Amino acid sequence: MRAVDAVIRDRLDSDVVLIRTIGEHIVQSGGKRMRPALLLLVARALGYQGNLHHLLAAVVEFIHTSTLLHDDVVDESDMRRGRSTANALFGNAASVLVGDYLYSRSFEMMVEADSMRVMQVLSQATTVIAEGEVLQLLNVHDPDVSLERYLQVVRYKTAKLFEAAAQVGAIVAGASAVHEEAAAAYGRHIGTAFQLIDDVLDYSGDAQALGKNVGDDLREGKPTLPLIRVMEVGTPEQRDLIRRAIETGEADFAAVAQAIQETQALAYTRDVATSEAELAREAARQLPASETAEILLQFCSFAVERDR
């Protein structure tokens, strides 16, 4: 991961001062670097001994970061990872344009890998992520979003880059088709679990631990799984409360939290996340046994047990 961070810092260098400034802000803001770590682990688990995975892990992080820059503008967010967002500090225009720069830089770096298969997987992933963003936009302030529609957004918007990272790790290692598919499935399911736990934390964590404002999704009118669950099993009064909350983004947060608690919506969401993590475990067990493969299995527990 230190090698990946070194690549990130090197490739963020630009003659344009604002790009360097925002890039440094992004690097210093930290984050879990889950996606690049996933690529590194899968590559090593499948016997890769080179260094190309450092470059491609940085590519994955650039793609992820560019989506965050654009997300924060769309969502009008002012806090991420416990720090002010780039758009809050530098303005929307700068954030969008630097996000575009990171996308462009990531494709420039992809070419260096000299692998059409890697480019195919990563370029397709960026397309699917963009589709997920638009699908989420269509769901905003819609209280009738179903579980299926919501999980489609999760798989497109969040899980797809996890899937691509793991799959690229397998491709770099020259893995068999069976192992490549297992790696992709692992990333897809662990990415889904990761997002569902984010849904839980949005209503159960404290803002300092999460590094974002608790309840942001509600204020933005996003129907996440805990809210969808209340709409499915709640009383007429609870469903009416959630409907108004999603439609306006201005309902009583304490009342919404109470409805979520009374319907055990967070426990339900955790159960769905745990099921996804178990599917990820099944996929990881198809990889050759090794210490690195064991870490991939531990990732499954981390994805659902984390508090931030």
Side-chain angles (χ1 to χ4, degrees), residues 119-130:
M119 290 191 67
Q120 180 185 33
V121 169
L122 290 175
S123 60
Q124 182 197 37
T126 59
T127 300
V128 171
I129 291 166

Side-chain angles (χ1 to χ4, degrees), residues 133-149:
E133 296 281 3
V134 177
L135 283 173
Q136 178 173 268
L137 188 63
L138 293 173
N139 287 350
V140 168
H141 298 301
D142 182 356
D144 297 316
V145 170
S146 65
L147 173 62
E148 291 73 22
R149 274 174 63 191

Side-chain angles (χ1 to χ4, degrees), residues 107-239:
F107 276 86
E108 185 180 32
M109 293 161 64
M110 257 183 248
V111 174
E112 294 179 34
D114 196 25
S115 168
M116 285 301 295
R117 186 82 180 105
V118 165
M119 290 191 67
Q120 180 185 33
V121 169
L122 290 175
S123 60
Q124 182 197 37
T126 59
T127 300
V128 171
I129 291 166
E131 289 177 327
E133 296 281 3
V134 177
L135 283 173
Q136 178 173 268
L137 188 63
L138 293 173
N139 287 350
V140 168
H141 298 301
D142 182 356
D144 297 316
V145 170
S146 65
L147 173 62
E148 291 73 22
R149 274 174 63 191
Y150 179 64
L151 288 178
Q152 182 184 19
V153 170
V154 170
R155 293 200 168 101
Y156 279 36
K157 184 175 178 289
T158 301
K160 188 61 181 180
L161 193 55
F162 279 84
E163 176 184 337
Q167 189 172 359
V168 166
I171 292 169
V172 167
S176 67
V178 171
H179 286 156
E180 182 183 328
E181 177 50 39
Y186 173 85
R188 182 166 59 251
H189 291 301
I190 204 167
T192 302
F194 190 83
Q195 179 58 53
L196 293 177
I197 294 301
D198 269 359
D199 289 357
V200 171
L201 294 176
D202 199 43
Y203 293 97
S204 63
D206 64 79
Q208 187 173 6
L210 270 67
K212 62 174 288 188
N213 297 313
V214 172
D216 267 357
D217 286 342
L218 174 62
R219 296 185 186 93
E220 293 159 11
K222 293 179 182 177
T224 56
L225 189 50
L227 300 180
I228 292 170
R229 182 60 175 173
V230 178
M231 290 294 290
E232 287 181 342
V233 303
T235 65
E237 293 77 15
Q238 289 170 332
R239 292 199 299 269

Side-chain angles (χ1 to χ4, degrees), residues 2-15:
R2 283 194 297 271
V4 173
D5 280 345
V7 174
I8 289 172
R9 289 181 180 278
D10 178 60
R11 299 310 177 97
L12 276 173
D13 192 30
S14 170
D15 292 336

